Amino acid sequence: MIELISLHPLLTAVVALVALSIPFGALLGFAAIRFKTEGNPIVDQIEDLLPQTQCGQCSYPGCRPYAEAIANGEAINKCPPGGEATIHDLANLLDVEPLPLDAEHGAQDVKKVAYIREDECIGCTKCIQACPVDAILGAAKQMHTVIADECTGCDLCVEPCPVDCIDMLPIATTVQSWSWQLPPTPEEQLKRSHIIATDRQPEVSA
Amino acid sequence: MNQRLPNTLSNNMPKTYPTPGGVHPPQNKAQSTSRPIQQASLPAELVLPLSQHAGAPAKAIVAVGDKVLKGQCIAQAKGSISAYIHAPSSGEVTAIEPRAIPHASGMQDNCIVIKTDGEDNWCPLQGCEDFSQLPASELVEQIRLAGITGLGGGGFPTAVKLISSDTQASLNKAIDTLIINGTECEPYITADDLLMRERAQQIISGIQILQHIIKPSTATLIGVENNKPEAIAALEAAIAEANANNITVVSFAGKYPSGGEKQLIQILTGREVPSGGLPADVGIVCQNVGTVAAVHDAIVLGKPLISRITTVTGQACAQPQNFEVLIGSPIAHVLAQAGFDASACQRLIMGGPMMGFTLTDTSVPVIKATNCLLAATEAELPSPPPAQACIRCGMCAEACPASLLPQQLYWYARSKEYEKLEELNLFDCIECGACSYVCPSTIPLVQYYRASKADIREHKAEMHKAEQSKARFEARQQRLEREEQEKAEKRAARQAAAKAKLAAAAQAGGEQELDPVQAAVARAKAKKAAKAAAAETEAGNSTAKPETKPTDEAN
Ligand code: SF4
Ligand code: SF4
Ligand code: SF4
Ligand code: SF4
């Protein structure tokens, strides 16, 4: 036996490793099944961070498809409704650098909600078919209206309306929804007030 | 820990407990305590914002042109956290419209405007001789109908805090201690101090009503800072007079902000309200002295909350003093009675110098939460120098009464790291301003926290909405799929039926020798029958579901 080992050291090593790998592999395989984590697959996690406006501005037909695309390596900065906050969250989740919003897909806009000018509505039901979240209430030849609380502001109902009676109205700030803004940082303030003498713009000499 | 030794029975002082942090800003209270509370005069116009309390705005129940009597209800609470509003004097409703309101945003909001008639006619009031005959739930309802909100500055509807002891017990939160907050730790403000000095009996009577409602099992404590000896003496005299020996006045050395609800609870009982919790979670209900006096007025006299004590002070006022002001009086009207000099006033603040906010417009009205109007000169409250970079000195952490890490919060607020902020308990920050007060770099720390709190709340609301949208989107996808499937099934059924008919016809044709003409006729007949059948199912289909398109393509 010992003779054999000393004669074929390489072969012995290979045999020993193979012998070891079988039980360990079995153990790992068992652990993988036994301790399977019930964690969200990455697509679900990405989708949870997207704003679910379903507007298609990212050039995918909805948030889920974009989530799938991100999981396959698409850039994370193509969702204007989510804006910076979503990019930040996605960057955190995927552990990549946050990118500025891709201007090609539109800028982050103020929040809007659709409003149907009800006396002009002809009851064609076209907007209902366009609305991704069923936020429009109405029936054929009846006046339609938007459930403002459910409207995601995706804009998709505006285009199909044959009489152009849908407006996207910005959501106004009220006393109830008003909030404090972050103050300018000291660094910004310093820049503005030119406290440091050498920072000052040189005076134009006469 | 320099915890005080438990007091011996001989000096009979109840024990108090140390709290973390705190600062000692100059008190500046003496200016306004030298004069007694004065009745402010009746203004020509009263402006009552529908949203002057925490929670949902009230709903107006009067119309323009209505005559109202003093004390008449003019707006109803909408939802569980909201408050009733009453006419502070008699007159006519001249408008219900957006007006400038006292709010940090400086924005306008809906207000009921009353032109006073100078008569000051009360509507009939129904007081109650002996409140102890009434059940707790009825008293709470009366407090709600009287529109009482926390008068310490928070403006939280009082009735919501006073769920009766039975409900508390069923919620497993038996209340053992009632704490009355007479601390008034913020500089300049003396409204509660004067109220305790002059109206101690009212306060004690109000406390007895609350005792009847809440039934605290062990103690009722009034916490007063020891810089108010007159108030303490008055309260003790009133307690002796009312023979209410289950009420104890506890005085303690003042520091800012010992009057914060959580801080006062800790000082008096040593109990810490858990992060994100309520005083009820540790068996305590806490009310401000002003609120308690309003409860007395509401129950014993039947008077709703239509006036409050407001301190008008600052160097830009020639006669700084406390006024009993009708809610809705324009601030300019109140200031004028204290000898206000607009040219000297550099900053006009509602509330105190630590937690108040700047007013830009003197036409805004006094609201239920207006405890102080501070008209400060430049010398008194110099404009803050520009903020410098944080030098990481740690003084803010030492000053924070909530044991937070203001400096860390500041950095995370700047970088918008919301999870980190929540981990560091940003929501326990009471926005007391102690950290900004000590900061050598004069960083407006509180503003960072307020902005971050708002951002986090908004972010959460958005996440919630996204979830909802996703659910609706998925429901719609499923509906479309289902409809598609149903259509396909019907189509298949129709095709099968047509085939069967054709086959039957072909069979019939097969039996009677092959006559091409007859076979063609049979085919045509079969086709007709199939079409009729299809039209029938279609008709049934379209009546059941008017919004789906007629399935023409099926044929
Ligand atoms: S742009 Fe954003 S919100 Fe719109 S569909 Fe794409 S991921 Fe959804
Ligand atoms: S109502 Fe219009 S804007 Fe609103 S979610 Fe539906 S389609 Fe989009
Ligand atoms: S404002 Fe907030 S962080 Fe600053 S001292 Fe007060 S509780 Fe602490
Ligand atoms: S007190 Fe001001 S300078 Fe000092 S650590 Fe706190 S934030 Fe920074």
Side-chain angles (χ1 to χ4, degrees):
Chain A
M1 181 74 177
I2 295 169
E3 216 169 287
L4 211 64
I5 291 172
S6 51
L7 272 181
H8 308 282
L10 203 67
L11 198 68
T12 331
V14 169
V15 169
L17 282 175
V18 167
L20 277 174
S21 72
I22 292 168
F24 280 118
L27 194 70
L28 274 175
F30 170 74
I33 294 162
R34 177 71 180 71
F35 304 107
K36 194 174 176 194
T37 46
E38 288 295 324
N40 276 356
I42 193 75
V43 176
D44 282 345
Q45 286 181 34
I46 296 173
E47 197 193 358
D48 284 345
L49 295 178
L50 293 173
Q52 305 295 329
T53 308
Q54 313 292 359
C55 61
Q57 284 182 73
C58 49
S59 76
Y60 291 90
C63 300
R64 177 87 194 175
Y66 183 42
E68 280 160 5
I70 292 179
N72 292 326
E74 172 66 290
I76 58 171
N77 60 345
K78 299 195 166 173
C79 171
E84 244 181 75
T86 300
I87 295 173
H88 185 109
D89 288 350
L90 285 172
N92 259 357
L93 173 70
L94 304 172
D95 207 12
V96 294
E97 276 304 302
L99 304 161
L101 188 63
D102 188 348
E104 193 188 304
H105 296 273
Q108 191 172 13
D109 205 355
V110 288
K111 291 241 147 49
K112 287 186 177 163
V113 61
Y115 172 75
I116 296 180
R117 290 197 301 277
E118 290 169 354
D119 42 353
E120 287 169 44
C121 170
I122 54 168
C124 66
T125 76
K126 288 218 160 55
C127 53
I128 295 193
Q129 290 161 35
C131 178
V133 291
D134 276 346
I136 302 181
L137 208 61
K141 304 217 177 68
Q142 307 288 323
M143 185 262 290
H144 287 43
T145 194
V146 174
I147 311 171
D149 278 352
E150 304 293 356
C151 172
T152 62
C154 69
D155 232 12
L156 294 179
C157 54
V158 175
E159 170 71 23
C161 179
V163 292
D164 268 344
C165 72
I166 306 182
D167 293 324
M168 296 303 295
L169 302 180
I171 298 175
T173 321
T174 61
V175 171
Q176 277 77 32
S177 65
W178 176 88
S179 63
W180 293 86
Q181 295 300 310
L182 280 182
T185 61
E187 290 76 10
E188 281 168 17
Q189 259 188 6
L190 276 180
K191 252 187 230 149
R192 246 181 259 166
S193 58
H194 299 302
I195 275 188
I196 304 168
T198 50
D199 263 6
R200 285 197 192 127
Q201 297 290 315
E203 304 264 321
V204 185
S205 48
Chain B
M1 274 251 234
N2 58 339
Q3 187 156 344
R4 249 200 254 167
L5 288 173
N7 292 293
T8 50
L9 275 175
S10 59
N11 66 13
N12 208 15
M13 257 310 281
K15 186 176 163 184
T16 58
Y17 301 79
T19 55
V23 290
H24 294 92
Q27 291 281 304
N28 282 312
K29 289 183 186 261
Q31 295 96 314
S32 53
T33 52
S34 57
R35 296 179 182 83
I37 300 174
Q38 206 190 24
Q39 212 70 34
S41 63
L42 184 67
E45 193 180 72
L46 291 162
V47 180
L48 294 133
L50 289 174
S51 177
Q52 46 180 303
H53 44 259
K59 186 167 158 275
I61 54 165
V62 287
V64 176
D66 284 4
K67 295 258 185 284
V68 291
L69 291 172
K70 182 172 183 156
Q72 183 184 331
C73 179
I74 54 173
Q76 267 176 350
K78 212 170 87 188
S80 57
I81 302 180
S82 183
Y84 283 75
I85 300 171
H86 301 79
S89 184
S90 59
E92 187 186 325
V93 178
T94 52
I96 300 175
E97 61 184 19
R99 290 273 183 115
I101 60 160
H103 189 264
S105 66
M107 282 167 59
Q108 296 196 332
D109 200 15
N110 285 334
C111 297
I112 299 178
V113 184
I114 297 175
K115 189 165 162 279
T116 55
D117 57 13
E119 311 263 324
D120 221 17
N121 279 333
W122 274 101
C123 66
L125 297 180
Q126 218 195 352
C128 151
E129 297 278 298
D130 186 5
F131 62 82
S132 57
Q133 299 302 311
L134 293 175
S137 55
E138 169 126 18
L139 291 171
V140 174
E141 183 60 14
Q142 280 190 28
I143 290 171
R144 200 169 82 89
L145 290 177
I148 298 178
T149 62
L151 295 184
F156 194 79
T158 302
V160 181
K161 265 178 153 185
L162 287 182
I163 332 168
S164 61
S165 55
D166 308 341
T167 333
Q168 296 283 10
S170 66
L171 289 176
N172 247 332
K173 288 178 184 172
I175 302 297
D176 57 33
T177 309
L178 172 61
I179 289 182
I180 305 301
N181 190 344
T183 319
E184 204 168 48
C185 55
E186 193 160 354
Y188 285 97
I189 312 179
T190 57
D192 287 347
D193 186 3
L194 269 276
L195 180 83
M196 290 188 281
R197 289 189 203 185
E198 296 187 17
R199 302 187 186 170
Q201 284 107 328
Q202 262 182 42
I203 294 172
I204 301 301
S205 155
I207 294 174
Q208 286 172 325
I209 296 168
L210 292 191
Q211 284 179 325
H212 180 63
I213 295 172
I214 299 166
K215 304 191 176 63
S217 50
T218 51
T220 301
L221 309 170
I222 311 180
V224 188
E225 279 190 353
N226 60 9
N227 58 359
K228 305 182 184 62
E230 297 94 336
I232 295 169
L235 286 172
E236 269 164 355
I239 289 172
E241 192 186 320
N243 209 3
N245 36 29
N246 55 357
I247 303 175
T248 322
V249 180
V250 187
S251 73
F252 47 89
K255 73 175 171 190
Y256 179 85
S258 49
E261 195 170 59
K262 291 183 178 179
Q263 283 65 38
L264 182 63
I265 288 170
Q266 198 179 352
I267 291 173
L268 297 188
T269 64
R271 290 179 221 172
E272 272 186 65
V273 179
S275 170
L278 293 171
D281 297 339
V282 290
I284 289 171
V285 166
C286 189
Q287 293 288 352
N288 169 270
V289 281
T291 316
V292 174
V295 166
H296 160 88
D297 285 355
I299 302 293
V300 180
L301 309 176
K303 283 187 189 172
L305 179 64
I306 54 163
S307 67
R308 66 155 298 136
I309 315 265
T310 299
T311 309
V312 183
T313 184
Q315 281 172 9
C317 291
Q319 300 102 37
Q321 59 181 308
N322 282 280
F323 287 100
E324 176 156 15
V325 194
L326 291 180
I327 310 289
S329 306
I331 277 168
H333 173 83
V334 182
L335 286 172
Q337 295 171 63
F340 174 60
D341 173 10
S343 59
C345 177
Q346 204 269 329
R347 252 175 106 192
L348 181 61
I349 293 171
M350 179 173 289
M354 304 292 284
M355 295 183 76
F357 55 89
T358 307
L359 294 176
T360 47
D361 184 349
T362 54
S363 73
V364 300
V366 167
I367 56 171
K368 290 178 185 174
T370 309
N371 50 3
C372 180
L373 294 172
L374 171 58
T377 58
E378 175 68 37
E380 204 172 8
L381 275 188
S383 345
Q388 312 276 320
C390 168
I391 57 169
R392 300 179 193 262
C393 63
M395 280 164 78
C396 46
E398 251 164 62
C400 178
S403 306
L404 302 178
L405 298 169
Q407 184 206 145
Q408 302 298 325
L409 291 173
Y410 163 67
W411 290 111
Y412 288 133
R414 278 184 55 170
S415 55
K416 303 201 172 172
E417 295 192 47
Y418 298 146
E419 302 96 59
K420 291 271 172 42
L421 286 170
E422 283 193 79
E423 269 166 38
L424 290 177
N425 296 322
L426 172 67
F427 282 90
D428 282 351
C429 165
I430 57 169
E431 302 177 15
C432 66
C435 50
S436 318
Y437 179 78
V438 295
C439 177
S441 299
T442 59
I443 302 172
L445 293 165
V446 184
Q447 201 179 331
Y448 282 95
Y449 309 149
R450 283 178 175 159
S452 301
K453 280 184 189 177
D455 279 353
I456 291 174
R457 281 198 197 104
E458 199 182 321
H459 193 66
K460 282 200 173 146
E462 264 165 26
M463 292 299 253
H464 180 75
K465 174 139 193 200
E467 241 164 64
Q468 217 176 323
S469 306
K470 188 173 158 198
R472 285 183 79 86
F473 177 68
E474 278 165 3
R476 178 186 151 91
Q477 286 317 79
Q478 271 172 13
R479 175 170 68 78
L480 293 181
E481 239 165 63
R482 202 178 52 233
E483 278 171 14
E484 197 51 48
Q485 206 179 350
E486 274 167 15
K487 251 189 236 165
E489 268 164 22
K490 272 188 193 135
R491 204 177 306 151
R494 262 197 308 275
Q495 273 167 1
K499 246 187 209 153
K501 281 228 169 100
L502 219 62
Q507 231 176 24
E511 266 165 21
Q512 311 161 354
E513 239 343 278
L514 279 172
D515 185 352
V517 183
Q518 262 190 2
V521 171
R523 265 206 303 281
K525 263 190 190 160
K527 237 184 200 163
K528 234 186 213 165
K531 232 182 204 160
E536 226 172 66
T537 38
E538 203 170 276
N541 177 22
S542 58
T543 42
K545 277 206 163 42
E547 77 266 46
T548 52
K549 273 196 243 157
T551 50
D552 296 336
E553 69 273 26
N555 303 304

